[in-house]
């Protein structure tokens, strides 16, 4: 799943993921992403940190809480990768503290996605 709110970034991520052999499901905000995951488990999520309605930090917190409550019993822990234009010195650490497993800064290139995607192919 790719939770990304900007249309052009959605197109770029979808193309990259499809070229890497993955099917991409796009969500425009964190609420939509959480609802999709609630109804269909996704092992890999690329999460924009700054989306309207519910940002990536809060969405990740909700998803981690769902995991801890057993909503995905028998499934492996979801890998949630932050995708953000925030290049501040603390951005990476903030993403990890929010429960994300990795960090990619925009613009994202396909080579940066490969290490995450290769674990799921």
């Amino acid at each position: 799943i790719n939770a990304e709110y900007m249309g052009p970034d959605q197109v770029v991520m979808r193309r990259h993921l499809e070229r890497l052999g993955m099917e991409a499901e796009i969500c425009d905000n964190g609420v939509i992403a959480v609802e999709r995951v609630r109804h269909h488990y996704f092992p890999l999520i690329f999460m924009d940190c700054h989306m309207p309605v519910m940002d990536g930090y809060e969405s990740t917190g909700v998803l981690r809480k769902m995991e801890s409550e057993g909503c995905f019993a028998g499934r492996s822990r979801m890998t949630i990768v932050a995708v953000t234009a925030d290049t501040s010195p603390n951005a990476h650490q903030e993403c990890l503290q929010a429960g994300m497993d990795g960090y990619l800064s925009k613009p994202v290139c396909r080579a940066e996605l490969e290490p995450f995607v290769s674990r799921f192919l």
Side-chain angles (χ1 to χ4, degrees):
I1 195 168
N2 179 43
E4 170 62 61
Y5 127 89
M6 296 294 293
D9 291 336
Q10 290 175 347
V11 171
V12 169
M13 284 292 285
R14 179 186 299 273
R15 283 187 190 146
H16 286 333
L17 292 169
E18 288 174 349
R19 288 183 179 143
L20 291 169
M22 296 204 77
E23 185 177 325
E25 184 161 338
I26 307 296
C27 300
D28 293 329
N29 64 58
V31 170
I32 295 169
V34 168
E35 282 307 306
R36 292 242 177 98
V37 173
R38 186 182 316 274
H39 299 290
H40 179 80
Y41 170 82
F42 292 87
L44 177 61
I45 300 170
F46 291 98
M47 183 74 74
D48 185 359
C49 292
H50 304 286
M51 295 180 287
V53 185
M54 182 187 292
D55 67 26
Y57 301 105
E58 185 178 355
S59 301
T60 298
V62 170
L63 294 172
R64 294 298 184 217
K65 184 172 189 243
M66 290 167 61
E67 282 180 322
S68 71
E69 293 172 346
C71 291
F72 310 111
R75 304 279 191 158
S76 61
R77 183 179 192 268
M78 289 177 282
T79 298
I80 302 175
V81 181
V83 180
T84 182
D86 186 351
T87 59
S88 69
N90 297 327
H92 187 208
Q93 189 61 35
E94 289 170 3
C95 293
L96 295 177
Q97 287 174 343
M100 297 176 190
D101 303 295
Y103 171 90
L104 295 171
S105 59
K106 295 179 186 179
V108 175
C109 70
R110 191 172 32 208
E112 294 172 313
L113 292 172
E114 284 183 272
F116 297 105
V117 170
S118 65
R119 291 188 276 174
F120 297 94
L121 293 179

